[in-house]
PDB file of all heavy atoms in Angstrom:
ATOM      1  N   ARG P   1       6.796 -92.616  30.460  1.00  0.00           N
ATOM      2  CA  ARG P   1       8.143 -92.643  29.890  1.00  0.00           C
ATOM      3  C   ARG P   1       9.070 -91.759  30.722  1.00  0.00           C
ATOM      4  O   ARG P   1       8.672 -90.678  31.163  1.00  0.00           O
ATOM      5  CB  ARG P   1       8.124 -92.117  28.454  1.00  0.00           C
ATOM      6  CG  ARG P   1       7.307 -92.975  27.510  1.00  0.00           C
ATOM      7  CD  ARG P   1       7.303 -92.357  26.128  1.00  0.00           C
ATOM      8  NE  ARG P   1       6.498 -93.152  25.199  1.00  0.00           N
ATOM      9  CZ  ARG P   1       6.267 -92.794  23.952  1.00  0.00           C
ATOM     10  NH1 ARG P   1       6.761 -91.659  23.485  1.00  0.00           N
ATOM     11  NH2 ARG P   1       5.540 -93.555  23.167  1.00  0.00           N
ATOM     12  N   PRO P   2      10.330 -92.185  30.913  1.00  0.00           N
ATOM     13  CA  PRO P   2      11.265 -91.307  31.625  1.00  0.00           C
ATOM     14  C   PRO P   2      11.518 -90.045  30.817  1.00  0.00           C
ATOM     15  O   PRO P   2      11.674 -90.094  29.597  1.00  0.00           O
ATOM     16  CB  PRO P   2      12.530 -92.165  31.748  1.00  0.00           C
ATOM     17  CG  PRO P   2      12.385 -93.232  30.722  1.00  0.00           C
ATOM     18  CD  PRO P   2      10.918 -93.462  30.528  1.00  0.00           C
ATOM     19  N   ARG P   3      11.542 -88.915  31.479  1.00  0.00           N
ATOM     20  CA  ARG P   3      11.721 -87.639  30.805  1.00  0.00           C
ATOM     21  C   ARG P   3      13.075 -87.047  31.149  1.00  0.00           C
ATOM     22  O   ARG P   3      13.494 -87.068  32.308  1.00  0.00           O
ATOM     23  CB  ARG P   3      10.601 -86.675  31.208  1.00  0.00           C
ATOM     24  CG  ARG P   3       9.235 -87.125  30.718  1.00  0.00           C
ATOM     25  CD  ARG P   3       8.108 -86.399  31.394  1.00  0.00           C
ATOM     26  NE  ARG P   3       8.202 -84.957  31.239  1.00  0.00           N
ATOM     27  CZ  ARG P   3       7.282 -84.116  31.699  1.00  0.00           C
ATOM     28  NH1 ARG P   3       6.250 -84.578  32.368  1.00  0.00           N
ATOM     29  NH2 ARG P   3       7.414 -82.814  31.527  1.00  0.00           N
ATOM     30  N   ALA P   4      13.734 -86.522  30.128  1.00  0.00           N
ATOM     31  CA  ALA P   4      15.014 -85.865  30.359  1.00  0.00           C
ATOM     32  C   ALA P   4      14.782 -84.566  31.107  1.00  0.00           C
ATOM     33  O   ALA P   4      13.727 -83.931  30.950  1.00  0.00           O
ATOM     34  CB  ALA P   4      15.691 -85.581  29.022  1.00  0.00           C
ATOM     35  N   PRO P   5      15.715 -84.147  31.951  1.00  0.00           N
ATOM     36  CA  PRO P   5      15.548 -82.877  32.670  1.00  0.00           C
ATOM     37  C   PRO P   5      15.374 -81.721  31.690  1.00  0.00           C
ATOM     38  O   PRO P   5      16.077 -81.626  30.690  1.00  0.00           O
ATOM     39  CB  PRO P   5      16.864 -82.743  33.454  1.00  0.00           C
ATOM     40  CG  PRO P   5      17.431 -84.114  33.506  1.00  0.00           C
ATOM     41  CD  PRO P   5      16.969 -84.821  32.280  1.00  0.00           C
ATOM     42  N   SER P   6      14.415 -80.866  31.987  1.00  0.00           N
ATOM     43  CA  SER P   6      14.154 -79.731  31.116  1.00  0.00           C
ATOM     44  C   SER P   6      15.169 -78.630  31.366  1.00  0.00           C
ATOM     45  O   SER P   6      15.567 -78.369  32.494  1.00  0.00           O
ATOM     46  CB  SER P   6      12.738 -79.206  31.379  1.00  0.00           C
ATOM     47  OG  SER P   6      12.514 -78.022  30.651  1.00  0.00           O
ATOM     48  N   GLN P   7      15.577 -77.986  30.264  1.00  0.00           N
ATOM     49  CA  GLN P   7      16.503 -76.861  30.366  1.00  0.00           C
ATOM     50  C   GLN P   7      15.761 -75.527  30.471  1.00  0.00           C
ATOM     51  O   GLN P   7      16.367 -74.493  30.671  1.00  0.00           O
ATOM     52  CB  GLN P   7      17.420 -76.829  29.120  1.00  0.00           C
ATOM     53  CG  GLN P   7      18.214 -78.107  28.922  1.00  0.00           C
ATOM     54  CD  GLN P   7      19.127 -78.400  30.101  1.00  0.00           C
ATOM     55  OE1 GLN P   7      19.756 -77.497  30.643  1.00  0.00           O
ATOM     56  NE2 GLN P   7      19.174 -79.655  30.521  1.00  0.00           N
ATOM     57  N   ARG P   8      14.443 -75.573  30.299  1.00  0.00           N
ATOM     58  CA  ARG P   8      13.688 -74.332  30.336  1.00  0.00           C
ATOM     59  C   ARG P   8      13.427 -73.889  31.772  1.00  0.00           C
ATOM     60  O   ARG P   8      13.321 -74.706  32.680  1.00  0.00           O
ATOM     61  CB  ARG P   8      12.347 -74.504  29.611  1.00  0.00           C
ATOM     62  CG  ARG P   8      12.525 -74.728  28.113  1.00  0.00           C
ATOM     63  CD  ARG P   8      11.183 -74.801  27.428  1.00  0.00           C
ATOM     64  NE  ARG P   8      10.363 -75.904  27.941  1.00  0.00           N
ATOM     65  CZ  ARG P   8       9.126 -76.155  27.555  1.00  0.00           C
ATOM     66  NH1 ARG P   8       8.552 -75.379  26.668  1.00  0.00           N
ATOM     67  NH2 ARG P   8       8.442 -77.172  28.043  1.00  0.00           N
ATOM     68  N   GLN P   9      13.261 -72.595  31.940  1.00  0.00           N
ATOM     69  CA  GLN P   9      12.902 -72.066  33.251  1.00  0.00           C
ATOM     70  C   GLN P   9      11.453 -72.437  33.541  1.00  0.00           C
ATOM     71  O   GLN P   9      10.590 -72.352  32.663  1.00  0.00           O
ATOM     72  CB  GLN P   9      13.049 -70.532  33.270  1.00  0.00           C
ATOM     73  CG  GLN P   9      14.488 -70.059  33.131  1.00  0.00           C
ATOM     74  CD  GLN P   9      15.311 -70.472  34.344  1.00  0.00           C
ATOM     75  OE1 GLN P   9      14.824 -70.485  35.464  1.00  0.00           O
ATOM     76  NE2 GLN P   9      16.564 -70.829  34.110  1.00  0.00           N
ATOM     77  N   PRO P  10      11.164 -72.849  34.777  1.00  0.00           N
ATOM     78  CA  PRO P  10       9.763 -73.188  35.087  1.00  0.00           C
ATOM     79  C   PRO P  10       8.862 -71.962  35.010  1.00  0.00           C
ATOM     80  O   PRO P  10       9.271 -70.858  35.352  1.00  0.00           O
ATOM     81  CB  PRO P  10       9.848 -73.727  36.522  1.00  0.00           C
ATOM     82  CG  PRO P  10      11.106 -73.159  37.074  1.00  0.00           C
ATOM     83  CD  PRO P  10      12.047 -73.014  35.921  1.00  0.00           C
ATOM     84  N   ARG P  11       7.659 -72.201  34.525  1.00  0.00           N
ATOM     85  CA  ARG P  11       6.684 -71.115  34.453  1.00  0.00           C
ATOM     86  C   ARG P  11       6.143 -70.813  35.848  1.00  0.00           C
ATOM     87  O   ARG P  11       5.975 -71.730  36.651  1.00  0.00           O
ATOM     88  CB  ARG P  11       5.519 -71.509  33.547  1.00  0.00           C
ATOM     89  CG  ARG P  11       5.910 -71.697  32.100  1.00  0.00           C
ATOM     90  CD  ARG P  11       4.683 -72.080  31.300  1.00  0.00           C
ATOM     91  NE  ARG P  11       5.012 -72.321  29.900  1.00  0.00           N
ATOM     92  CZ  ARG P  11       4.123 -72.726  28.995  1.00  0.00           C
ATOM     93  NH1 ARG P  11       2.879 -72.947  29.363  1.00  0.00           N
ATOM     94  NH2 ARG P  11       4.484 -72.918  27.744  1.00  0.00           N
ATOM     95  N   PRO P  12       5.836 -69.556  36.123  1.00  0.00           N
ATOM     96  CA  PRO P  12       5.225 -69.264  37.424  1.00  0.00           C
ATOM     97  C   PRO P  12       3.854 -69.915  37.514  1.00  0.00           C
ATOM     98  O   PRO P  12       3.114 -69.983  36.529  1.00  0.00           O
ATOM     99  CB  PRO P  12       5.117 -67.732  37.437  1.00  0.00           C
ATOM    100  CG  PRO P  12       5.215 -67.320  36.003  1.00  0.00           C
ATOM    101  CD  PRO P  12       6.037 -68.354  35.313  1.00  0.00           C
ATOM    102  N   ALA P  13       3.548 -70.426  38.694  1.00  0.00           N
ATOM    103  CA  ALA P  13       2.257 -71.094  38.889  1.00  0.00           C
ATOM    104  C   ALA P  13       1.119 -70.089  38.765  1.00  0.00           C
ATOM    105  O   ALA P  13       1.210 -68.968  39.252  1.00  0.00           O
ATOM    106  CB  ALA P  13       2.224 -71.757  40.266  1.00  0.00           C
ATOM    107  N   ARG P  14       0.071 -70.533  38.076  1.00  0.00           N
ATOM    108  CA  ARG P  14      -1.100 -69.679  37.940  1.00  0.00           C
ATOM    109  C   ARG P  14      -2.093 -69.999  39.042  1.00  0.00           C
ATOM    110  O   ARG P  14      -2.310 -71.159  39.379  1.00  0.00           O
ATOM    111  CB  ARG P  14      -1.762 -69.889  36.583  1.00  0.00           C
ATOM    112  CG  ARG P  14      -0.914 -69.403  35.420  1.00  0.00           C
ATOM    113  CD  ARG P  14      -1.697 -69.424  34.134  1.00  0.00           C
ATOM    114  NE  ARG P  14      -2.171 -70.755  33.793  1.00  0.00           N
ATOM    115  CZ  ARG P  14      -2.943 -71.024  32.741  1.00  0.00           C
ATOM    116  NH1 ARG P  14      -3.338 -70.049  31.957  1.00  0.00           N
ATOM    117  NH2 ARG P  14      -3.320 -72.257  32.483  1.00  0.00           N
ATOM    118  N   ALA P  15      -2.696 -68.969  39.571  1.00  0.00           N
ATOM    119  CA  ALA P  15      -3.698 -69.171  40.623  1.00  0.00           C
ATOM    120  C   ALA P  15      -4.912 -69.871  40.022  1.00  0.00           C
ATOM    121  O   ALA P  15      -5.342 -69.552  38.910  1.00  0.00           O
ATOM    122  CB  ALA P  15      -4.110 -67.831  41.226  1.00  0.00           C
ATOM    123  N   ALA P  16      -5.437 -70.837  40.761  1.00  0.00           N
ATOM    124  CA  ALA P  16      -6.624 -71.551  40.284  1.00  0.00           C
ATOM    125  C   ALA P  16      -7.824 -70.611  40.293  1.00  0.00           C
ATOM    126  O   ALA P  16      -7.986 -69.793  41.192  1.00  0.00           O
ATOM    127  CB  ALA P  16      -6.896 -72.759  41.178  1.00  0.00           C
ATOM    128  N   MET P  17      -8.649 -70.738  39.269  1.00  0.00           N
ATOM    129  CA  MET P  17      -9.854 -69.920  39.205  1.00  0.00           C
ATOM    130  C   MET P  17     -10.852 -70.408  40.256  1.00  0.00           C
ATOM    131  O   MET P  17     -11.142 -71.602  40.330  1.00  0.00           O
ATOM    132  CB  MET P  17     -10.487 -70.025  37.815  1.00  0.00           C
ATOM    133  CG  MET P  17      -9.661 -69.379  36.733  1.00  0.00           C
ATOM    134  SD  MET P  17      -9.557 -67.598  36.937  1.00  0.00           S
ATOM    135  CE  MET P  17     -11.254 -67.139  36.595  1.00  0.00           C
ATOM    136  N   PRO P  18     -11.379 -69.497  41.081  1.00  0.00           N
ATOM    137  CA  PRO P  18     -12.359 -69.942  42.074  1.00  0.00           C
ATOM    138  C   PRO P  18     -13.634 -70.405  41.394  1.00  0.00           C
ATOM    139  O   PRO P  18     -14.071 -69.836  40.402  1.00  0.00           O
ATOM    140  CB  PRO P  18     -12.596 -68.673  42.913  1.00  0.00           C
ATOM    141  CG  PRO P  18     -12.222 -67.544  42.018  1.00  0.00           C
ATOM    142  CD  PRO P  18     -11.132 -68.070  41.117  1.00  0.00           C
ATOM    143  N   ARG P  19     -14.218 -71.473  41.912  1.00  0.00           N
ATOM    144  CA  ARG P  19     -15.463 -71.961  41.357  1.00  0.00           C
ATOM    145  C   ARG P  19     -16.614 -71.244  42.021  1.00  0.00           C
ATOM    146  O   ARG P  19     -16.585 -70.996  43.218  1.00  0.00           O
ATOM    147  CB  ARG P  19     -15.567 -73.477  41.557  1.00  0.00           C
ATOM    148  CG  ARG P  19     -14.453 -74.171  40.801  1.00  0.00           C
ATOM    149  CD  ARG P  19     -14.660 -75.633  40.625  1.00  0.00           C
ATOM    150  NE  ARG P  19     -15.918 -76.024  40.026  1.00  0.00           N
ATOM    151  CZ  ARG P  19     -16.193 -75.963  38.731  1.00  0.00           C
ATOM    152  NH1 ARG P  19     -15.336 -75.458  37.887  1.00  0.00           N
ATOM    153  NH2 ARG P  19     -17.333 -76.399  38.278  1.00  0.00           N
ATOM    154  N   PRO P  20     -17.635 -70.859  41.271  1.00  0.00           N
ATOM    155  CA  PRO P  20     -18.745 -70.134  41.884  1.00  0.00           C
ATOM    156  C   PRO P  20     -19.452 -70.981  42.931  1.00  0.00           C
ATOM    157  O   PRO P  20     -19.654 -72.179  42.739  1.00  0.00           O
ATOM    158  CB  PRO P  20     -19.674 -69.838  40.694  1.00  0.00           C
ATOM    159  CG  PRO P  20     -19.283 -70.813  39.630  1.00  0.00           C
ATOM    160  CD  PRO P  20     -17.826 -71.098  39.837  1.00  0.00           C
ATOM    161  N   ALA P  21     -19.785 -70.345  44.047  1.00  0.00           N
ATOM    162  CA  ALA P  21     -20.458 -71.064  45.133  1.00  0.00           C
ATOM    163  C   ALA P  21     -21.914 -71.305  44.761  1.00  0.00           C
ATOM    164  O   ALA P  21     -22.545 -70.490  44.083  1.00  0.00           O
ATOM    165  CB  ALA P  21     -20.358 -70.268  46.428  1.00  0.00           C
ATOM    166  N   ASP P  22     -22.445 -72.431  45.224  1.00  0.00           N
ATOM    167  CA  ASP P  22     -23.863 -72.694  45.018  1.00  0.00           C
ATOM    168  C   ASP P  22     -24.696 -71.752  45.886  1.00  0.00           C
ATOM    169  O   ASP P  22     -24.339 -71.430  47.018  1.00  0.00           O
ATOM    170  CB  ASP P  22     -24.189 -74.145  45.410  1.00  0.00           C
ATOM    171  CG  ASP P  22     -23.766 -75.137  44.339  1.00  0.00           C
ATOM    172  OD1 ASP P  22     -23.796 -74.779  43.151  1.00  0.00           O
ATOM    173  OD2 ASP P  22     -23.410 -76.267  44.702  1.00  0.00           O
ATOM    174  N   THR P  23     -25.806 -71.327  45.343  1.00  0.00           N
ATOM    175  CA  THR P  23     -26.820 -70.585  46.090  1.00  0.00           C
ATOM    176  C   THR P  23     -28.156 -71.234  45.767  1.00  0.00           C
ATOM    177  O   THR P  23     -28.276 -71.939  44.748  1.00  0.00           O
ATOM    178  CB  THR P  23     -26.867 -69.109  45.669  1.00  0.00           C
ATOM    179  OG1 THR P  23     -27.274 -69.046  44.288  1.00  0.00           O
ATOM    180  CG2 THR P  23     -25.506 -68.431  45.848  1.00  0.00           C
ATOM    181  N   PRO P  24     -29.190 -71.020  46.596  1.00  0.00           N
ATOM    182  CA  PRO P  24     -30.497 -71.578  46.228  1.00  0.00           C
ATOM    183  C   PRO P  24     -30.945 -71.127  44.838  1.00  0.00           C
ATOM    184  O   PRO P  24     -31.534 -71.896  44.090  1.00  0.00           O
ATOM    185  CB  PRO P  24     -31.420 -71.042  47.327  1.00  0.00           C
ATOM    186  CG  PRO P  24     -30.522 -70.887  48.518  1.00  0.00           C
ATOM    187  CD  PRO P  24     -29.207 -70.421  47.945  1.00  0.00           C
ATOM    188  N   GLU P  25     -30.630 -69.865  44.489  1.00  0.00           N
ATOM    189  CA  GLU P  25     -31.042 -69.360  43.182  1.00  0.00           C
ATOM    190  C   GLU P  25     -30.314 -70.097  42.053  1.00  0.00           C
ATOM    191  O   GLU P  25     -30.923 -70.464  41.038  1.00  0.00           O
ATOM    192  CB  GLU P  25     -30.768 -67.857  43.090  1.00  0.00           C
ATOM    193  CG  GLU P  25     -31.628 -66.998  44.022  1.00  0.00           C
ATOM    194  CD  GLU P  25     -31.190 -67.076  45.483  1.00  0.00           C
ATOM    195  OE1 GLU P  25     -30.022 -67.438  45.742  1.00  0.00           O
ATOM    196  OE2 GLU P  25     -32.035 -66.803  46.351  1.00  0.00           O
ATOM    197  N   SER P  26     -28.995 -70.304  42.237  1.00  0.00           N
ATOM    198  CA  SER P  26     -28.252 -70.981  41.172  1.00  0.00           C
ATOM    199  C   SER P  26     -28.677 -72.440  41.053  1.00  0.00           C
ATOM    200  O   SER P  26     -28.698 -73.000  39.959  1.00  0.00           O
ATOM    201  CB  SER P  26     -26.746 -70.886  41.425  1.00  0.00           C
ATOM    202  OG  SER P  26     -26.368 -71.652  42.556  1.00  0.00           O
ATOM    203  N   LEU P  27     -29.023 -73.067  42.180  1.00  0.00           N
ATOM    204  CA  LEU P  27     -29.449 -74.456  42.119  1.00  0.00           C
ATOM    205  C   LEU P  27     -30.825 -74.604  41.470  1.00  0.00           C
ATOM    206  O   LEU P  27     -31.129 -75.624  40.848  1.00  0.00           O
ATOM    207  CB  LEU P  27     -29.476 -75.069  43.527  1.00  0.00           C
ATOM    208  CG  LEU P  27     -28.110 -75.334  44.159  1.00  0.00           C
ATOM    209  CD1 LEU P  27     -28.266 -75.710  45.619  1.00  0.00           C
ATOM    210  CD2 LEU P  27     -27.365 -76.425  43.415  1.00  0.00           C
ATOM    211  N   LEU P  28     -31.673 -73.575  41.632  1.00  0.00           N
ATOM    212  CA  LEU P  28     -32.999 -73.636  41.030  1.00  0.00           C
ATOM    213  C   LEU P  28     -32.957 -73.349  39.529  1.00  0.00           C
ATOM    214  O   LEU P  28     -33.902 -73.652  38.818  1.00  0.00           O
ATOM    215  CB  LEU P  28     -33.936 -72.633  41.713  1.00  0.00           C
ATOM    216  CG  LEU P  28     -34.499 -73.106  43.060  1.00  0.00           C
ATOM    217  CD1 LEU P  28     -35.243 -71.965  43.744  1.00  0.00           C
ATOM    218  CD2 LEU P  28     -35.418 -74.307  42.890  1.00  0.00           C
ATOM    219  N   ALA P  29     -31.877 -72.735  39.071  1.00  0.00           N
ATOM    220  CA  ALA P  29     -31.748 -72.485  37.635  1.00  0.00           C
ATOM    221  C   ALA P  29     -31.666 -73.820  36.896  1.00  0.00           C
ATOM    222  O   ALA P  29     -31.392 -74.861  37.477  1.00  0.00           O
ATOM    223  CB  ALA P  29     -30.500 -71.647  37.359  1.00  0.00           C
ATOM    224  N   ALA P  30     -31.908 -73.766  35.613  1.00  0.00           N
ATOM    225  CA  ALA P  30     -31.890 -74.995  34.818  1.00  0.00           C
ATOM    226  C   ALA P  30     -30.515 -75.645  34.887  1.00  0.00           C
ATOM    227  O   ALA P  30     -29.486 -74.963  34.859  1.00  0.00           O
ATOM    228  CB  ALA P  30     -32.257 -74.683  33.373  1.00  0.00           C
ATOM    229  N   LEU P  31     -30.499 -76.965  34.988  1.00  0.00           N
ATOM    230  CA  LEU P  31     -29.237 -77.691  34.969  1.00  0.00           C
ATOM    231  C   LEU P  31     -28.549 -77.496  33.625  1.00  0.00           C
ATOM    232  O   LEU P  31     -29.215 -77.406  32.593  1.00  0.00           O
ATOM    233  CB  LEU P  31     -29.492 -79.188  35.165  1.00  0.00           C
ATOM    234  CG  LEU P  31     -29.709 -79.706  36.572  1.00  0.00           C
ATOM    235  CD1 LEU P  31     -30.082 -81.186  36.504  1.00  0.00           C
ATOM    236  CD2 LEU P  31     -28.468 -79.523  37.423  1.00  0.00           C
ATOM    237  N   PRO P  32     -27.215 -77.444  33.619  1.00  0.00           N
ATOM    238  CA  PRO P  32     -26.524 -77.472  32.318  1.00  0.00           C
ATOM    239  C   PRO P  32     -26.900 -78.752  31.583  1.00  0.00           C
ATOM    240  O   PRO P  32     -27.236 -79.766  32.188  1.00  0.00           O
ATOM    241  CB  PRO P  32     -25.041 -77.469  32.709  1.00  0.00           C
ATOM    242  CG  PRO P  32     -24.995 -77.007  34.130  1.00  0.00           C
ATOM    243  CD  PRO P  32     -26.288 -77.412  34.750  1.00  0.00           C
ATOM    244  N   SER P  33     -26.830 -78.694  30.282  1.00  0.00           N
ATOM    245  CA  SER P  33     -27.131 -79.893  29.493  1.00  0.00           C
ATOM    246  C   SER P  33     -26.021 -80.921  29.673  1.00  0.00           C
ATOM    247  O   SER P  33     -24.911 -80.600  30.118  1.00  0.00           O
ATOM    248  CB  SER P  33     -27.251 -79.522  28.010  1.00  0.00           C
ATOM    249  OG  SER P  33     -25.980 -79.147  27.505  1.00  0.00           O
ATOM    250  N   ALA P  34     -26.329 -82.165  29.296  1.00  0.00           N
ATOM    251  CA  ALA P  34     -25.310 -83.216  29.363  1.00  0.00           C
ATOM    252  C   ALA P  34     -24.114 -82.853  28.502  1.00  0.00           C
ATOM    253  O   ALA P  34     -22.962 -83.127  28.869  1.00  0.00           O
ATOM    254  CB  ALA P  34     -25.914 -84.547  28.919  1.00  0.00           C
ATOM    255  N   GLU P  35     -24.354 -82.197  27.356  1.00  0.00           N
ATOM    256  CA  GLU P  35     -23.253 -81.803  26.469  1.00  0.00           C
ATOM    257  C   GLU P  35     -22.385 -80.730  27.116  1.00  0.00           C
ATOM    258  O   GLU P  35     -21.152 -80.765  27.016  1.00  0.00           O
ATOM    259  CB  GLU P  35     -23.797 -81.290  25.131  1.00  0.00           C
ATOM    260  CG  GLU P  35     -24.444 -82.351  24.266  1.00  0.00           C
ATOM    261  CD  GLU P  35     -25.852 -82.734  24.741  1.00  0.00           C
ATOM    262  OE1 GLU P  35     -26.441 -81.989  25.573  1.00  0.00           O
ATOM    263  OE2 GLU P  35     -26.358 -83.790  24.302  1.00  0.00           O
ATOM    264  N   GLN P  36     -23.014 -79.761  27.804  1.00  0.00           N
ATOM    265  CA  GLN P  36     -22.243 -78.714  28.488  1.00  0.00           C
ATOM    266  C   GLN P  36     -21.394 -79.300  29.612  1.00  0.00           C
ATOM    267  O   GLN P  36     -20.228 -78.932  29.787  1.00  0.00           O
ATOM    268  CB  GLN P  36     -23.191 -77.645  29.036  1.00  0.00           C
ATOM    269  CG  GLN P  36     -23.843 -76.785  27.981  1.00  0.00           C
ATOM    270  CD  GLN P  36     -24.940 -75.906  28.546  1.00  0.00           C
ATOM    271  OE1 GLN P  36     -25.732 -76.329  29.393  1.00  0.00           O
ATOM    272  NE2 GLN P  36     -24.996 -74.663  28.079  1.00  0.00           N
ATOM    273  N   ILE P  37     -21.980 -80.221  30.372  1.00  0.00           N
ATOM    274  CA  ILE P  37     -21.232 -80.837  31.471  1.00  0.00           C
ATOM    275  C   ILE P  37     -20.105 -81.693  30.918  1.00  0.00           C
ATOM    276  O   ILE P  37     -18.984 -81.683  31.443  1.00  0.00           O
ATOM    277  CB  ILE P  37     -22.183 -81.645  32.368  1.00  0.00           C
ATOM    278  CG1 ILE P  37     -23.013 -80.669  33.207  1.00  0.00           C
ATOM    279  CG2 ILE P  37     -21.423 -82.614  33.261  1.00  0.00           C
ATOM    280  CD1 ILE P  37     -24.005 -81.303  34.141  1.00  0.00           C
ATOM    281  N   ALA P  38     -20.364 -82.428  29.843  1.00  0.00           N
ATOM    282  CA  ALA P  38     -19.307 -83.258  29.243  1.00  0.00           C
ATOM    283  C   ALA P  38     -18.146 -82.389  28.764  1.00  0.00           C
ATOM    284  O   ALA P  38     -16.972 -82.754  28.927  1.00  0.00           O
ATOM    285  CB  ALA P  38     -19.876 -84.077  28.094  1.00  0.00           C
ATOM    286  N   ALA P  39     -18.453 -81.216  28.187  1.00  0.00           N
ATOM    287  CA  ALA P  39     -17.385 -80.314  27.727  1.00  0.00           C
ATOM    288  C   ALA P  39     -16.571 -79.811  28.910  1.00  0.00           C
ATOM    289  O   ALA P  39     -15.337 -79.722  28.845  1.00  0.00           O
ATOM    290  CB  ALA P  39     -17.989 -79.144  26.959  1.00  0.00           C
ATOM    291  N   GLU P  40     -17.242 -79.495  30.024  1.00  0.00           N
ATOM    292  CA  GLU P  40     -16.530 -79.054  31.228  1.00  0.00           C
ATOM    293  C   GLU P  40     -15.645 -80.174  31.765  1.00  0.00           C
ATOM    294  O   GLU P  40     -14.481 -79.949  32.133  1.00  0.00           O
ATOM    295  CB  GLU P  40     -17.541 -78.638  32.305  1.00  0.00           C
ATOM    296  CG  GLU P  40     -16.906 -78.261  33.630  1.00  0.00           C
ATOM    297  CD  GLU P  40     -17.916 -78.173  34.769  1.00  0.00           C
ATOM    298  OE1 GLU P  40     -19.125 -78.342  34.523  1.00  0.00           O
ATOM    299  OE2 GLU P  40     -17.482 -77.942  35.906  1.00  0.00           O
ATOM    300  N   VAL P  41     -16.166 -81.395  31.794  1.00  0.00           N
ATOM    301  CA  VAL P  41     -15.406 -82.533  32.319  1.00  0.00           C
ATOM    302  C   VAL P  41     -14.175 -82.813  31.464  1.00  0.00           C
ATOM    303  O   VAL P  41     -13.113 -83.166  31.983  1.00  0.00           O
ATOM    304  CB  VAL P  41     -16.325 -83.777  32.407  1.00  0.00           C
ATOM    305  CG1 VAL P  41     -15.522 -85.053  32.622  1.00  0.00           C
ATOM    306  CG2 VAL P  41     -17.347 -83.591  33.526  1.00  0.00           C
TER     307      VAL P  41
END
């Protein structure tokens, strides 16, 4: 839908949270459950 121009001041951009890097140890840990992954998605 076409949106009318907003009169509000734009919010400052928030820095994206860094995602944890994979390590052999983290990969060997148990996989998250399907429910946990679905909640993240």
Side-chain angles (χ1 to χ4, degrees):
R1 296 178 181 176
R3 294 165 57 177
S6 174
Q7 302 300 319
R8 293 184 300 177
Q9 293 294 324
R11 295 180 182 177
R14 292 189 300 176
M17 292 294 292
R19 297 195 54 78
D22 282 328
T23 64
E25 293 75 22
S26 68
L27 288 170
L28 281 172
L31 279 174
S33 69
E35 291 77 14
Q36 290 170 319
I37 286 180
E40 176 194 357
V41 166

